[in-house]
Amino acid sequence: MKSLLTDQIIAAEIPARTLLGLGPRDADTGNLRQLQLAPLRGQGSLRLFMGLGMALVATFTMILSVPLAIASSWLCAGLVFSLWSYSQFRRLPLGDPKLSGITEYRMCNRHALYSALFWSTPFWLHGFSPPLDHVLSMWTIAVLMMVTLAIVAHSVPMACILFIAPVTLSAAAALVRADAPQLAAVAVVAGFLLCNFCVRFAQSHIRFRHAEETLHEKTETVSLLLREFEETSADWLWQTDNSRRLVHISPRLAYALGAPADALEGVPLLQALSGDAWDTGLFPKSLHEMAERMKRRESFSNLIVPVTIGGAPRWWELSASPRLDEAGKFLGFRGVGSDVTEQRATAEQIAKMARFDNLTGLPNRLSLNEDLARALAHALDAKARCALLIIDLDRFKAVNDTLGHPVGDKLLAQVAARLKGLMERGMTCGRLGGDEFAVVLHNVASADSAEDLAKRLIATISRPYVVDNHQLFVGASIGFAIGPQDGATVETLTRNADLALYKSKDKGGNVVAGYVASLHAQAEERRVMEQELRGALERREFELYYQPVVTAADGTLNGFEALIRWQNQKLGNVSPGRFIPLAEDARLISPIGEWVLRTACHEAMKWPSNLKVAINVSADQLTDPNFASVVVSALAQSGLPPQRLEIEVTESVFLRDGGGAAQLLDQLIGLGIRLSLDDFGTGYSSLGYLRKTQFSTIKVDRSFVVGAAKGSIESIAIIRAVVALADSLGMSTTAEGAETELEVETLRNMGCSNIQGYYYGRPMPATDVLTLFRATDPSASAAA
């Protein structure tokens, strides 16, 4: 029953008080009474014949010793009572679950008590001193009556007790009056034991009935769930006999197999799943494994098997357990299945995405690491060599920034296609991320072989690309390491190849560099330098030096270029060529550049008002959205007029930025700040920069100055072209690096506006600049 009381029945012994109806009533009492009364349903005729039969036997037993009128009257009373009781119970719905059962239960108890009163009288039909033989004969019949009642009405122990107790006490009293007290005691003990038996028997019956009903409910629940499962789930149930042939085909299974249910009945499961493979016997491994488990009568769960349905391949997930009868005999298998073709395709796609790059289709870092691990393991076992090449594209960021990421992505896809085209047996190329690629070489003959391949890769990558009608040029820097001599683990070999890549990039790009042990020392030096560089501003280790810039025609001083110097306690004097690139990589160039700007403006206010100060600004500074406000703040705090500040930039600024730098420079020009294009002609020179941005000065690199002094036709032609270009655009020219009188005369004769170099002065600290003014023109110092 679904009640608290009957739930307790299965967990523990039901209390005798509750079973007898002596405990407190609650909503669950009716459920218990229904369980007790249910066995009495249909037992009315049996009770009638039993009562009448026992009354007749008792009458025939006593008729010789008891007056006939008394015996006949007792028998008639018994017949009337039995028929009346039968009529009362005949239409009574005993055990009806729709009723509480309490009224019927009480009625049973009353009738048991009435019957007990009737059967207590035969002991006294001889009077109050009955003979012993009469009492014993009546007691024997009464005991038989009590035992029969305990069996027939065992589920209602209170009714049994209400019958047994009065009859037993009456018999005991009669035995005492017949001078047989010992037998009276035996009668009382027997009656007590029989009452106790009735209670225990009733408790066992209730437990059994509850378990029976619980099992029935569970069976109905399982059947309901199975029907609901078949109707609402995408899965299906399947069943085989002991020969592993399909039986009891459900409509959903028939639909999944693409055949009528009657046609599938009796078909071997393996045949239904394998399609054409049934004839050839060439089953897939997982299907063969399932067949072996079924042959060994083993359970299996979530087994993924390939099946062929209507000639089309599918993937099913099957689970099953063997069926056994009560005797343990094997009946077959029963299980559940589902079509997981779409889920498996999704899982395979996810697995592929986890191991391959979505943009290029190349193996990703994870796949490359696994392949490198296999290459290293084979190299160690076979005493051979393998190699890892790490490729970094040169000038790719300029493409990304100027033309946008979609064009950059298409360019990466074309680079990947070229790499794949160069791969041969024993080679694997992949993308590490961004613009970095890698190649794993199995069984490489020597470091020279790896270097030769790297050079071919650079040559192939460096060929022009056409993307969305844009002709693009990128290069590649490659570092490589040989395993296992340069590293016996994936991590070590990768780190060493990275160190070699740093070396190749330091050489300017489009270079191949192999790993050497000294690179570790260089990497450690770089790490220490970066660590020291991060605290250099706080420790005030930077100092600005100023190099004079003079007018070419008469040698008059017209300004200085501010040059940064770094004196570190651990590293000593570190040249800008070493720490400036590191500062850019470490994202430290913006705070350092701000310090240079503010310091130079402050110092320039101490100079004569006709002198300007030139400051180099990196591309990273110009990508900082706060740079313009920093310049304005530096000018405001120092009081330096904007016309006395000249900002020098290189053409790399325009390559690395998609237009933002040009807009920022235009803002600075609008403030009155002068703009200088440094190192013109040494890089990716384009007249477009000069057309888009109003430069004040074009600076000629020292390499052309030296070449022109030596009579180099190319250098002379370049300087003359730059001077002519500047004159036509209203710009001045400044030649850098003039160290000899010949170089100065050459530049002056070629029309350069300004000259800068050791010939006129080396870079000097701010104090020396002030000393220079005092030594040459005291009034200038006063003006400052």
Side-chain angles (χ1 to χ4, degrees):
M1 301 300 296
K2 301 175 183 177
S3 64
L4 177 62
L5 179 61
T6 48
D7 283 342
Q8 292 174 342
I9 293 172
I10 198 68
E13 195 78 11
I14 184 170
R17 285 172 52 85
T18 304
L19 192 64
L20 295 173
L22 302 177
R25 287 182 55 188
D26 55 32
D28 295 324
T29 303
N31 294 329
L32 176 61
R33 301 300 173 238
Q34 292 170 11
L35 283 176
Q36 290 181 277
L37 294 173
L40 300 181
R41 189 184 305 122
Q43 300 293 329
S45 298
L46 177 61
R47 293 196 306 274
L48 174 62
F49 291 130
M50 183 187 70
L52 293 176
M54 289 300 176
L56 289 173
V57 171
T59 301
F60 285 128
T61 302
M62 71 174 81
I63 198 170
L64 297 178
S65 59
V66 176
L68 180 60
I70 296 175
S72 300
S73 299
W74 182 84
L75 177 60
C76 289
L79 291 175
V80 172
F81 172 74
S82 296
L83 291 172
W84 173 76
S85 180
Y86 174 75
S87 66
Q88 292 290 310
F89 281 94
R90 186 163 61 90
R91 290 188 176 90
L92 204 63
L94 299 176
D96 190 343
K98 297 179 181 178
L99 304 176
S100 66
I102 297 176
T103 302
E104 293 81 1
Y105 179 78
R106 290 175 176 173
M107 186 175 176
C108 287
N109 293 340
R110 289 197 304 270
H111 279 249
L113 184 58
Y114 300 156
S115 182
L117 295 176
F118 172 75
W119 281 96
S120 297
T121 58
F123 300 104
W124 307 99
L125 295 180
H126 275 281
F128 289 101
S129 297
L132 181 59
D133 57 345
H134 172 74
V135 176
L136 289 176
S137 62
M138 291 299 102
W139 184 40
T140 302
I141 295 172
V143 168
L144 181 60
M145 186 74 174
M146 288 186 286
V147 172
T148 304
L149 180 64
I151 295 174
V152 174
H154 61 275
S155 60
V156 281
M158 190 61 180
C160 295
I161 292 173
L162 288 175
F163 179 82
I164 295 171
V167 173
T168 299
L169 292 176
S170 179
L175 288 171
V176 171
R177 295 293 295 173
D179 296 327
Q182 299 87 350
L183 293 177
V186 171
V188 172
V189 172
F192 174 78
L193 292 176
L194 193 56
C195 289
N196 187 65
F197 166 76
C198 290
V199 174
R200 298 301 179 187
F201 197 6
Q203 289 175 327
S204 299
H205 166 77
I206 296 301
R207 286 199 305 272
F208 174 76
R209 286 299 307 277
H210 178 74
E212 188 179 55
E213 293 214 5
T214 301
L215 179 61
H216 178 69
E217 288 185 358
K218 288 183 177 179
T219 302
E220 286 189 344
T221 302
V222 170
S223 299
L224 179 63
L225 290 175
L226 289 176
R227 286 196 300 272
E228 184 178 355
F229 176 82
E230 280 279 345
E231 292 172 0
T232 62
S233 174
D235 298 353
W236 57 83
L237 301 175
W238 58 275
Q239 189 171 323
T240 69
D241 58 16
N242 55 11
S243 299
R244 300 187 293 281
R245 297 177 180 272
L246 290 171
V247 294
H248 307 307
I249 309 296
S250 67
R252 193 174 292 276
L253 175 59
Y255 177 79
L257 288 170
D262 54 354
L264 293 170
E265 194 76 26
V267 175
L269 175 64
L270 194 61
Q271 179 181 354
L273 300 180
S274 59
D276 296 337
W278 175 259
D279 298 326
T280 63
L282 301 176
F283 303 119
K285 182 179 179 181
S286 54
L287 205 58
H288 180 73
E289 178 185 352
M290 185 195 75
E292 288 297 317
R293 288 193 178 185
M294 294 184 69
K295 186 176 180 180
R296 296 193 298 267
R297 300 178 182 178
E298 295 177 354
S299 299
F300 52 89
S301 177
N302 302 325
L303 186 63
I304 307 296
V305 297
V307 299
T308 304
I309 308 298
R314 306 289 294 178
W315 288 92
W316 283 9
E317 182 179 75
L318 299 176
S319 302
S321 299
R323 296 185 298 122
L324 305 176
D325 62 11
E326 296 179 355
K329 181 181 178 182
F330 175 67
L331 300 178
F333 277 87
R334 179 184 290 121
V336 63
S338 60
D339 191 317
V340 294
T341 305
E342 285 73 20
Q343 295 93 313
R344 184 177 178 87
T346 301
E348 290 178 348
Q349 180 65 23
I350 292 174
K352 182 178 180 181
M353 291 172 62
R355 304 177 63 82
F356 288 85
D357 178 58
N358 290 334
L359 176 62
T360 63
L362 295 178
N364 61 10
R365 183 182 295 272
L366 174 63
S367 295
L368 285 171
N369 285 344
E370 292 176 349
D371 190 55
L372 182 57
R374 290 190 293 269
L376 279 169
H378 178 266
L380 289 169
D381 292 341
K383 300 188 182 309
R385 297 185 185 90
C386 64
L388 173 65
L389 285 67
I390 298 182
I391 307 164
D392 186 85
L393 300 184
D394 299 330
R395 300 185 298 280
F396 174 77
K397 189 177 187 305
V399 174
N400 235 8
D401 292 342
T402 55
L403 300 178
H405 290 281
V407 172
D409 289 346
K410 293 178 182 179
L411 176 59
L412 289 175
Q414 290 193 27
V415 171
R418 292 188 184 182
L419 289 176
K420 288 169 66 176
L422 288 175
M423 294 299 101
E424 301 173 358
R425 182 180 178 85
M427 301 180 183
T428 303
C429 68
R431 184 186 179 203
L432 298 177
D435 60 347
E436 273 197 350
F437 296 83
V439 177
V440 177
L441 303 180
H442 296 250
N443 297 320
V444 64
S446 63
D448 292 340
S449 300
E451 186 174 357
D452 290 343
L453 174 63
K455 290 178 179 179
R456 283 190 286 131
L457 291 174
I458 290 176
T460 301
I461 293 173
S462 299
R463 295 201 310 266
Y465 300 84
V466 177
V467 180
D468 292 347
N469 297 321
H470 298 285
Q471 188 175 33
L472 306 176
F473 294 87
V474 294
S477 299
I478 299 180
F480 69 89
I482 305 296
Q485 67 188 48
D486 294 337
T489 66
V490 171
E491 294 77 12
T492 305
L493 199 62
T494 302
R495 184 180 69 248
N496 292 343
D498 265 328
L499 292 175
L501 176 64
Y502 293 146
K503 178 182 177 181
S504 68
K505 293 182 73 67
D506 287 343
K507 292 182 178 180
N510 269 26
V511 175
V512 179
Y515 168 78
V516 291
S518 60
L519 292 179
H520 277 289
Q522 297 176 16
E524 177 62 17
E525 180 184 357
R526 180 185 178 91
R527 185 192 66 80
V528 172
M529 185 183 298
E530 179 179 339
Q531 183 177 354
E532 292 297 313
L533 190 60
R534 291 188 179 278
L537 274 176
E538 289 76 6
R539 294 190 298 268
R540 298 183 178 181
E541 294 178 348
F542 292 120
E543 184 180 4
L544 288 186
Y545 276 52
Y546 301 89
Q547 187 172 29
V549 180
V550 302
T551 303
D554 55 10
T556 303
L557 179 67
N558 60 43
F560 291 88
E561 179 179 2
L563 303 171
I564 190 171
R565 297 292 184 262
W566 180 26
Q567 182 68 33
N568 180 260
Q569 191 173 12
K570 288 184 179 179
L571 304 176
N573 187 16
V574 185
S575 70
R578 293 176 61 196
F579 73 81
I580 292 297
L582 181 59
E584 291 177 342
D585 290 343
R587 308 289 183 183
L588 298 173
I589 195 64
S590 290
I592 295 175
E594 181 178 349
W595 176 87
V596 170
L597 177 63
R598 293 184 183 277
T599 304
C601 290
H602 179 74
E603 288 295 331
M605 281 298 296
K606 302 175 183 179
W607 305 342
S609 59
N610 65 317
L611 299 182
K612 63 181 183 295
V613 61
I615 300 171
N616 290 281
V617 174
S618 72
D620 287 337
Q621 288 178 267
L622 292 179
T623 58
D624 186 350
N626 298 320
F627 180 73
S629 60
V630 170
V631 174
V632 173
S633 173
L635 292 174
Q637 289 182 0
S638 64
L640 185 72
Q643 295 78 11
R644 293 184 60 192
L645 176 63
E646 182 172 280
I647 289 180
E648 294 187 6
V649 298
T650 62
E651 293 170 296
S652 63
V653 167
F654 302 97
L655 287 173
R656 293 184 59 180
D657 187 81
Q663 295 177 6
L664 180 58
L665 292 175
D666 288 341
Q667 294 178 20
L668 298 178
I669 293 172
L671 296 174
I673 297 171
R674 300 169 62 85
L675 193 62
S676 174
L677 182 60
D678 199 7
D679 297 336
F680 183 76
T682 62
Y684 317 102
S685 299
S686 171
L687 297 179
Y689 306 143
L690 301 178
R691 178 177 58 83
K692 294 178 181 178
T693 306
Q694 298 177 5
F695 289 97
S696 302
T697 304
I698 301 177
K699 301 192 75 171
V700 179
D701 187 71
R702 166 170 167 72
S703 60
F704 300 123
V705 173
V706 174
K710 293 180 179 180
S712 170
I713 298 176
E714 293 82 0
S715 297
I716 294 173
I718 290 174
I719 294 177
R720 285 177 174 171
V722 171
V723 170
L725 178 64
D727 290 341
S728 65
L729 294 175
M731 303 176 185
S732 63
T733 53
T734 299
E736 297 180 297
E739 298 182 356
T740 65
E741 184 177 358
L742 176 61
E743 292 173 351
V744 169
E745 288 299 324
T746 301
L747 295 172
R748 185 179 291 127
N749 293 334
M750 297 179 68
C752 286
S753 307
N754 305 297
I755 301 176
Q756 174 184 350
Y758 286 177
Y759 181 80
Y760 288 105
R762 293 177 176 272
M764 63 189 76
T767 54
D768 290 357
V769 174
L770 297 179
T771 302
L772 177 65
F773 295 149
R774 295 189 186 100
T776 57
D777 186 3
S779 62
S781 176

